[in-house]
Amino acid sequence: MTAKKRVDTAVLDGLEKPVVGPTGRPLRVFPVPERLTGHGPARIIALCNQKGGVGKTTTAINLGASLAHYGRKVLAVDFDPQGALSAGLGVSAHDVTNIYDLLLGTVKDAHDAIQHTSVAGLDVIPANIDLSAAEVHLVNEVAREQILARVLRQVIDEYDVILVDCQPSLGILTVNALTAAHGVLIPLECEFFALRGVALLVETIDKVKDRLNPALTLDGILPTMFDSRTLHSREVLERAVERFEDQVFDTVIGRTVKFPDASVAASPILQFAPEHPASMAYLQFARELISRGAVA
């Protein structure tokens, strides 16, 4: 007589095996936030990484659009002379009042530089190549590290979150952003050299916190350009989680050609490809930030 093969099919409540996410932690579901009944004061978040091409601008654009989707009023500040944030949102940065004019004081009212975007609830202060001269002009200014903070103070009560897209350096513009900010968000490309630079950036954040902005906090590290098919990408993410633990967000942004396609279309991916997994990822990231209390 042949013995029958045993098949265990029973699953007891509470003992289901959790689904593991890319970070190696159980995959969490973040609830859709309630709409706000009023707006402001804003929490200022600086998106920083001294390495270029890690997804800072992509994150600023798509996080801003996702937060606006959930009823938050968002101001994105282009703080990079390349002006990629402005271009990515289809906003003119030439022959208009921009962040450089506000820093130098040639324009006093920050409202004069704010432009609306195609996304309801998402505004932007643009930048262009003129901003590259700001470091030279600001070097002899009194309290030069606090000039951006003084500019944003004019509009902080009108928004729920202000996202500052920093240039890929640790110069005086980035220090200005860190001095003005309540929190720092570090987009981390899942690549070895990008991971090496994060330790230096965290050290800079600690110095700014110690000397200029005691209230500054590291909101977290967002893994970007993750490709689960490559061992290298998986190992970098694993090392990041080992080193920074819960400071690494659960949300991971995958690598896709949809991001450059959306940039060419001057549109957030939420508008360009709303059903794409990349769009869903940024919506999840917005929910995670709100769940963590980094955004109201």
Side-chain angles (χ1 to χ4, degrees):
M1 182 175 178
T2 305
K4 291 184 178 180
K5 184 178 180 181
R6 179 180 172 182
V7 179
D8 292 321
T9 56
V11 178
L12 299 178
D13 290 340
L15 296 181
E16 296 89 348
K17 187 175 181 181
V19 177
V20 177
T23 61
R25 301 183 294 233
L27 204 59
R28 288 194 289 171
V29 177
F30 300 100
V32 174
E34 295 182 2
R35 297 270 167 169
L36 298 177
T37 56
H39 299 292
R43 190 165 187 275
I44 303 171
I45 301 176
L47 287 85
C48 292
N49 195 319
Q50 74 274 23
K51 186 179 184 302
V54 299
K56 288 189 302 297
T57 301
T58 298
T59 295
I61 291 171
N62 294 294
L63 174 59
S66 297
L67 289 170
H69 174 79
Y70 288 123
R72 274 59 185 169
K73 193 173 180 186
V74 183
L75 175 65
V77 180
D78 196 342
F79 218 47
D80 186 343
Q82 297 179 70
L85 175 68
S86 307
L89 287 170
V91 170
S92 172
H94 299 284
D95 300 322
V96 296
T97 302
N98 57 56
I99 190 65
Y100 179 68
D101 300 316
L102 298 175
L103 292 178
L104 265 62
T106 54
V107 176
K108 302 296 184 182
D109 191 347
H111 296 88
D112 293 340
I114 294 176
Q115 296 191 40
H116 302 301
T117 71
S118 61
V119 179
L122 175 59
D123 296 337
V124 63
I125 295 180
N128 58 33
I129 195 64
D130 292 343
L131 187 59
S132 60
E135 296 205 11
V136 175
H137 287 288
L138 296 180
V139 70
N140 293 318
E141 289 288 327
V142 176
R144 59 184 180 270
E145 299 91 354
Q146 299 175 1
I147 294 177
L148 180 63
R150 293 202 298 271
V151 169
L152 297 181
R153 203 173 297 142
Q154 300 178 45
V155 298
I156 196 168
D157 290 331
E158 301 167 28
Y159 293 92
D160 299 310
V161 59
I162 298 175
L163 302 174
V164 184
D165 181 30
C166 298
Q167 64 177 342
S169 80
L170 296 179
I172 193 165
L173 290 180
T174 299
V175 171
N176 253 270
L178 294 175
T179 304
H182 301 105
V184 188
L185 197 162
I186 303 176
L188 170 66
E189 179 188 7
C190 292
E191 189 267 339
F192 177 67
F193 289 114
L195 181 59
R196 286 184 63 194
V198 171
L200 177 61
L201 178 56
V202 170
E203 185 178 315
T204 300
I205 293 169
D206 288 340
K207 287 181 180 178
V208 172
K209 181 175 181 177
D210 182 53
R211 302 172 188 178
L212 294 167
N213 184 5
L216 184 65
T217 61
L218 175 58
D219 287 341
I221 298 169
L222 175 68
T224 63
M225 303 183 191
F226 177 72
D227 188 344
S228 61
R229 299 170 299 178
T230 68
L231 177 61
H232 181 74
S233 215
R234 297 196 302 270
E235 286 183 340
V236 168
L237 182 54
E238 182 180 343
R239 289 191 186 186
V241 173
E242 285 177 358
R243 169 66 178 82
F244 298 103
E245 299 178 338
D246 287 342
Q247 289 179 321
V248 179
F249 290 106
D250 287 357
T251 304
V252 175
I253 309 299
R255 185 183 295 275
T256 172
V257 296
K258 285 295 182 182
F259 286 129
D261 289 346
S263 297
V264 171
S267 173
I269 198 157
L270 192 60
Q271 286 184 337
F272 182 78
E275 302 300 325
H276 194 274
S279 180
M280 297 297 104
Y282 271 109
L283 286 173
Q284 175 180 302
F285 183 44
R287 295 196 302 271
E288 181 172 2
L289 275 180
I290 294 170
S291 295
R292 284 182 176 226
V295 176

